[in-house]
Every structure is written in C-alpha cells, then in structure tokens.
Amino acid sequence: MSGSIEFQQTIERPAVCAGIGVHSGEKARLVLKPAPAGTGVSFRRTDISGPGTLIPASAEYVSDTQLGTTLTNEADVSVAVVEHLMAALAGVGIDNLLIEIDGPEVPIMDGSSAVYCELLMQAGLRRQAAPRRRIRILEKIEIEDGPKRASLSPSEDNLLTLRARIEYDDTLIGVQQMALRLAPGMFARDLAFARTYGFARDVDMLRTMGLARGGSLENAVVVDNGEVMNPEGLRSEDEFVRHKMLDAVGDLMLAGAPIAGRYDAVQPGHSINNLLVRKLLDTPSAWCWESDEMNQSLVTSRTSAAI
C-alpha cells in the first residue's frame, strides 16, 4: 500500500456546452459547476421552476435503461442519457459536481465521451481537502439475464478493471472483447473516443417509439449489413466493444464512488449494469467503504499495537 492519499476532486471553474439529445432531439445547455467535497454528482433542471429540480446521480434514481440511462427524482423530474457524461467524470477523476441542464436529455455531442473529457480538462481539476472514498468489492456479485451476464468481484489494487465481450450476427462486428484497467489517463486515451452505435434496420422502429429523433451520422456509428454508413469510418476496429465499456464506466459511476474491483460482462447493457449496481448496494457483505486515510490509520494502529 503506498503512503500517498487520494483526495476528492471537483473542477476549478465552471464549464459550458450545448447540443441536442439523441432520443428527444431537443437542444440542451449544460453548465458544469464545482461542488463541495462529499456532495457527489447531481443534476439540476434549470428549465423547471419550483422545488424538486435536483436529481442525484445515483443508481437508486435510475428509472429507465432503454438505449440510455435515465435518472428520475421523487418529484418525477428526470434527465436522460447521463452515461457518457458520467463516464467522463469517472475517467477524469471527478467526485463532486453540479450539472445544470435546461432540457430533458444530456446532449449526445459526437456520441462518445471525448468532448466531455476535453471540457473537464479545460475547466481544470481542483483537489479538495477530503480523502477520496472507494467502494471496495469484498465478494462476487453477479447478474444474469438470458445471454447477458455481468459481475463485480474483488481485486488486489485500488482500480477498476473491466472485461467485456459482445457478439452480433452482423459480420462487421462479430465477436469483440477487451480488458482494461482504469488507471489515470487510460479512459481518455482508450475509451473516451468510442461512439454509440446502432443498426440502420432499427431506425424507423426506434423513431416510432419516440427514440433516436436526434440521431444522425454525426453522433452515432450506423451499421448496415456489414458496412459502416459513416463516411469517416470507424475510429478503431473494436470501437463497438470499447463503447460498451465506456457505457459500463458511466453506469458504475452511479454507485456513488470509484469501485476497486473487477467488472466482467458478456453482452453488457444499461439494464444489467444498473441491476448489478443495485444488487451490490443491497448486499452490505459484498463491499465496504475505503479510503487511503482509513488504510493508513489502520496500519498505524496495528504498528502501535505491535510495539
């Protein structure tokens, strides 16, 4: 165990961006603001008046996982497609943030987390006085739903290790799998660029369901019978599994703190990710709060006892 202590972080100064929602097609403006230590991440709907406009970014507030993760508070105020922004916060190392939004859905930007990572880095990171708390996985937790499977299990270090496998009949995607340790800088380099994706055959059906109204080749990879319709092509051959891992990072961030453990998934998605986090939080024996300050205090007390 190293002698250094990880501290909580927020941003140095506010940051602003705007764009359209991939499903609603509605424009929204985001203002990211520094937040005090220990307050976590929350959204505030500025287009709605009265009380009840604050929405904690927590797994217990997840109300929908159909093609995105939606959060809804007790006042029935919601914000949709939070996962790409949440993934950027986890990847950059932001613990506390207030996100003001004047619409129902987080802007999709280019379909990845890259714009959000850049925005956060431009805003600057500010270390806070409180030690960072981690969720330490103590015993394996697993969820199965047909061919889908996801688990969290213990690891020996303080990082989140991700392994994911996807399989599609489409020849372009086929079987893809990847493993990655979420060390500092790894998310921005290896996952943030990966865009959301879909199939041309599903577009009409999604729009009749009120989804994908803002979707285009500018914010999603569209696959049609083994070919990429986007003129610029893929950003990497395995962009599809990388995006699934990006989504998982965002969904796991809703546990309320960085996770020290291993995430393994087959055919992962927002629904099974949320079920996994909820099962974890509902199983007290499977995890504990941990910080470097707590570990150092424990080491010191054991040393004193030995002397």
Side-chain angles (χ1 to χ4, degrees):
M1 183 73 63
S2 99
S4 64
I5 295 179
E6 286 189 17
F7 288 89
Q8 295 180 32
Q9 292 189 121
T10 187
I11 54 176
E12 187 67 39
R13 65 193 72 86
V16 180
C17 70
I20 65 167
V22 67
H23 293 310
S24 65
E26 294 187 29
K27 293 181 179 179
R29 181 175 182 264
L30 290 179
V31 182
L32 312 183
K33 294 184 174 182
T39 57
V41 178
S42 57
F43 292 83
R44 175 179 289 149
R45 287 284 299 274
T46 59
D47 58 319
I48 297 175
S49 59
T53 59
L54 195 69
I55 310 166
S58 173
E60 64 183 288
Y61 290 93
V62 173
S63 58
D64 190 7
T65 53
Q66 185 179 43
L67 299 180
T69 297
T70 298
L71 301 170
T72 304
N73 66 13
E74 294 90 342
D76 203 31
V77 176
S78 66
V79 59
V81 193
V82 302
E83 62 273 9
H84 299 170
L85 176 53
M86 294 301 299
L89 300 183
V92 170
I94 297 294
D95 303 278
N96 307 295
L97 195 71
L98 174 62
I99 305 162
E100 295 185 343
I101 181 170
D102 64 358
E105 185 179 337
V106 174
I108 191 64
M109 310 312 280
D110 70 345
S112 75
S113 291
V115 173
Y116 290 123
C117 283
E118 293 170 7
L119 190 68
L120 292 165
M121 296 309 293
Q122 289 171 4
L125 306 183
R126 175 159 58 86
R127 193 177 83 163
Q128 299 175 288
R132 172 174 287 152
R133 292 203 305 173
R134 291 183 292 270
I135 292 175
R136 167 70 61 182
I137 305 299
L138 301 176
E139 62 184 51
K140 186 174 182 179
I141 292 290
E142 187 169 17
I143 291 287
E144 293 190 24
D145 181 14
K148 299 182 178 182
R149 185 170 69 252
S151 67
L152 285 167
S153 53
S155 65
E156 296 181 357
D157 60 25
N158 296 334
L159 302 175
L160 174 64
T161 298
L162 302 112
R163 296 182 180 87
R165 182 181 187 275
I166 60 173
E167 182 175 354
Y168 289 90
D169 293 335
D170 191 278
T171 56
L172 177 70
I173 305 177
V175 176
Q176 295 189 358
Q177 50 193 356
M178 185 181 179
L180 178 74
R181 290 173 73 246
L182 205 61
M186 297 289 281
F187 179 85
R189 187 187 73 188
D190 296 328
L191 296 182
F193 68 83
R195 296 163 294 176
T196 192
Y197 62 90
F199 297 92
R201 64 175 180 264
D202 297 331
V203 171
D204 289 341
M205 177 191 67
L206 291 173
R207 287 180 174 163
T208 60
M209 296 168 60
L211 301 170
R213 291 176 177 174
S216 72
L217 297 179
E218 295 181 355
N219 55 41
V221 176
V222 180
V223 179
D224 186 18
N225 293 321
E227 295 184 358
V228 175
M229 295 182 66
N230 306 63
E232 73 278 10
L234 296 174
R235 295 177 177 175
S236 71
E237 290 184 359
D238 58 356
E239 187 171 0
F240 305 98
V241 71
R242 287 177 189 266
H243 186 78
K244 285 293 187 181
M245 294 179 74
L246 180 159
D247 280 344
V249 171
D251 289 336
L252 294 178
M253 178 72 170
L254 296 175
I259 292 175
R262 293 201 312 268
Y263 167 86
D264 291 273
V266 176
Q267 300 294 82
H270 300 300
S271 176
I272 201 164
N273 288 338
N274 181 246
L275 291 172
L276 180 65
V277 173
R278 284 176 180 261
K279 184 174 181 179
L280 174 71
L281 299 179
D282 288 341
T283 311
S285 62
W287 65 282
C288 69
W289 288 114
E290 177 185 88
S291 73
D292 296 324
E293 185 181 57
M294 294 165 58
N295 289 336
Q296 287 195 0
S297 297
L298 182 60
V299 170
T300 300
S301 62
R302 285 176 176 173
T303 302
S304 300
I307 293 173

